[in-house]
Amino acid sequence: MVGPKTELEAKFRARYPAAPPPRFFRAPGRINLIGDHTDYNEGLVMPMAIESACYVGVADNGLDAFRVFSEDMQDGVEFRIADLDAAKPRRNWTDYVIGVAAELKRAGVPLKGRDLLIESTIPVGAGLSSSAALEVASTLAMLGGSRMEPLEVVHLCQRAENDFVGVPCGIMDQFTSVFGRAGVAIKLDCRSLEYEPVPLPRKVAIVAVNSMVKHELGASVYRERVNECKAVLQAITEKHPEVTSLRDVTADMLAEGYNWVPVKRARHVVSENMRVQAFANACRAGSIQSMGVYFTQSHRSLQHDYEVSCPEIDFLVDSALTQNGCFGARLTGGGFGGCTVNLLNRDAVPDFRTRIREAYRYSYGIDPQVLLCEPGNGASMLA
Ligand code: GLA
C-alpha cells in the first residue's frame, strides 16, 4: 500500500539520491459497472474510477534516457530516448511504460531524460485496469507537467496498448482513468466519446470481489472475440450496408438466421448496449431492484453468449446472489478471472464480506479480496 505522498517521496530519494525534487502523479484503476466487451464495438459502457491508483514520482536526470523502477515488481528498466523508435516489447510490465514513451515521441512531444518511481495500490490481474493506470500515470510523468489534452492522453495510452503491448483493447479503461469523477459513474458512448456522469443511489454500495485467479487463456480469447465480432459484422454488412459497427446491429438483424457462433457474440454486444442504457435509467430513477436485474442479466450474457467467464467467477456470482442485500452480481472487465462487481445494500456489506469469503474459501480454498469501491477522480498531479 502507498501511504501519504511523503512515503513515496522517501522511496524516490532512496532510489535516486542525486535527483532534484520530484513531482508526483496519480492515475486510478476502474471498475466497470456494466457494458463489457462493448467498447471495441463502438458501444456503451458504464465504469467508475476507484480510489486504488498507480502513483509515479518523476524528476529530470540530465541524461538522454529514462530510468524507471517499480516498487511493486522490484524491477527496473533504463532506455534511451534515441532508441525509442526501434523499441521492441519485452513482454512484461515495462512494455506499458516504454510503449507510452514511444507513442509520446511519435506524437512529436519533446522528451527529456527522467527518473521514474512507480508504486500502485491496484491489484494486478484483477480486472481493475492496473495497466491502463500505469500507462496514464507514466504518460503524465513523462510529460512532466507539459500540457496535453486529456482525450489525447487517453488515445495515446490506448495506442500504446494496441500497437506496442499488442492487446486490441477498447478505450474504456484509459478513458476512465483520465475522466473519472468522484461520486459518479461515467456512462460513455465509445462511438462519439460523449459521456455523462451518473450518480449512484445513496443506498447502494459497489463491492468488488477478487477471485485471485487470472486464467492464461484470457488474452488469446480476448483477441478471438474481437475477431469474431469483426467476422459477424462483415457478414451483416453484406446484407445491410448501412451497418458500420455492431453498435448499428439490431436484434431483428441477428434473428435473420446466421447459424454461427459469432452471432452469439454479437447478441451479447447488442443486448449489453441495451442493458447499459436501461441500467443508467434505473440508476437515475433510484430503482435499485431493476439495476440488480440488469447486472445479473449482463453476467448471464457474458457467461453463455460471450463465453468469457470461468468457474470461479460463476461461483462468486451465484453465491453473491443468494445473499441478503445483494441486488445483482456480474463479472467485470475482460473475464477469465479477476473480479466480480456486486451491487449491495450499504448495510449488507459487512455480512456479505464475511459470507462470500467463507463460501469461496470452502469451495476453492482461496481467500478472495473484497473491496468496497467508491467512485473517485481521474488522473492528476499530486499537490
Ligand atoms: C478489458 C479491455 C477493455 C474492455 C474490457 C471488457 O478491460 O482493456 O477495453 O474491452 O476488457 O469490457
Side-chain angles (χ1 to χ4, degrees):
M1 283 287 286
V2 176
K5 197 177 104 186
T6 43
E7 205 179 300
L8 194 57
E9 192 153 8
K11 289 179 184 167
F12 191 94
R13 285 260 153 260
R15 171 115 338 237
Y16 306 112
R23 289 199 260 198
F24 293 91
F25 296 87
R26 167 192 175 274
R30 64 100 188 93
I31 188 158
N32 190 22
L33 298 187
I34 193 161
D36 271 310
H37 293 279
T38 48
D39 62 350
Y40 52 84
N41 289 303
E42 298 190 351
L44 302 175
V45 295
M46 196 166 144
M48 63 187 218
I50 56 178
E51 293 292 323
S52 307
C54 178
Y55 297 82
V56 179
V58 60
D60 292 356
N61 61 17
L63 308 170
D64 55 7
F66 285 101
R67 295 187 298 196
V68 183
F69 190 81
S70 159
E71 284 292 328
D72 310 296
M73 302 294 170
Q74 284 299 303
D75 180 33
V77 65
E78 182 169 342
F79 51 93
R80 281 160 38 97
I81 294 169
D83 296 340
L84 277 172
D85 311 296
K88 295 265 174 301
R90 298 153 41 115
R91 307 274 164 239
N92 65 19
W93 68 273
T94 61
D95 288 351
Y96 301 105
V97 184
I98 301 173
V100 292
E103 282 299 331
L104 281 165
K105 190 170 180 204
R106 192 179 314 162
V109 174
L111 293 176
K112 264 188 173 181
R114 293 199 164 108
D115 291 338
L116 275 69
L117 186 77
I118 300 168
E119 189 165 31
S120 177
T121 59
I122 311 167
V124 173
L128 299 177
S129 291
S130 60
S131 22
L134 174 57
E135 290 158 3
V136 172
S138 304
T139 301
L140 298 186
M142 288 173 182
L143 281 168
S146 311
R147 170 112 190 108
M148 181 180 266
E149 284 302 320
L151 193 55
E152 183 47 28
V153 172
V154 172
H155 284 304
L156 187 137
C157 292
Q158 189 194 4
R159 281 203 303 274
E161 184 138 355
N162 291 165
D163 302 342
F164 193 78
V165 183
V167 177
C169 67
I171 201 167
M172 168 170 69
D173 305 347
Q174 293 80 3
F175 191 96
T176 316
S177 187
V178 171
F179 284 96
R181 207 190 295 169
V184 294
I186 306 275
K187 176 170 164 257
L188 169 67
D189 180 330
C190 298
R191 171 177 266 177
S192 64
L193 298 185
E194 280 166 12
Y195 66 101
E196 303 158 35
V198 183
L200 301 174
R202 282 233 199 112
K203 224 178 112 184
V204 150
I206 302 296
V207 171
V209 180
N210 187 353
S211 68
M212 316 301 280
V213 299
K214 184 81 203 157
H215 295 293
E216 281 300 312
L217 202 69
S220 61
V221 175
Y222 191 94
R223 273 191 197 90
E224 196 179 299
R225 294 293 177 271
V226 170
N227 289 331
E228 285 170 327
C229 287
K230 283 186 188 148
V232 75
L233 175 65
Q234 203 187 337
I236 294 172
T237 312
E238 277 165 23
K239 272 197 175 172
H240 302 276
E242 74 281 11
V243 168
T244 61
S245 81
L246 290 188
R247 178 69 180 275
D248 302 318
V249 170
T250 61
D252 285 348
M253 290 178 192
L254 293 179
E256 284 171 5
Y258 307 100
N259 181 19
W260 186 34
V261 169
V263 170
K264 286 207 312 184
R265 314 300 187 222
R267 189 165 64 201
H268 163 73
V269 176
V270 172
S271 63
E272 186 80 346
N273 282 334
M274 295 196 279
R275 279 186 293 270
V276 176
Q277 191 58 58
F279 179 84
N281 294 343
C283 217
R284 289 201 184 93
S287 315
I288 305 174
Q289 303 284 354
S290 310
M291 289 165 68
V293 170
Y294 298 126
F295 242 53
T296 309
Q297 283 177 354
S298 165
H299 182 72
R300 298 300 172 215
S301 178
L302 288 159
Q303 180 182 11
H304 300 301
D305 273 354
Y306 219 67
E307 296 181 282
V308 288
S309 191
C310 61
E312 296 87 346
I313 290 288
D314 291 336
F315 176 89
L316 286 173
V317 166
D318 293 337
S319 147
L321 291 174
T322 63
Q323 296 203 32
N324 281 340
C326 176
F327 300 106
R330 56 183 292 280
L331 80 73
T332 183
F336 288 96
C339 284
T340 59
V341 56
N342 301 269
L343 196 67
L344 302 182
N345 190 324
R346 258 186 201 279
D347 303 336
V349 174
D351 281 354
F352 176 86
R353 185 189 292 272
T354 311
R355 299 228 172 87
I356 199 98
R357 286 181 70 189
E358 271 171 13
Y360 195 52
R361 258 189 282 185
Y362 182 77
S363 296
Y364 283 88
I366 302 175
D367 193 14
Q369 230 176 349
V370 181
L371 302 166
L372 175 63
C373 300
E374 302 292 352
N377 277 321
S380 63
M381 187 163 99
L382 296 185

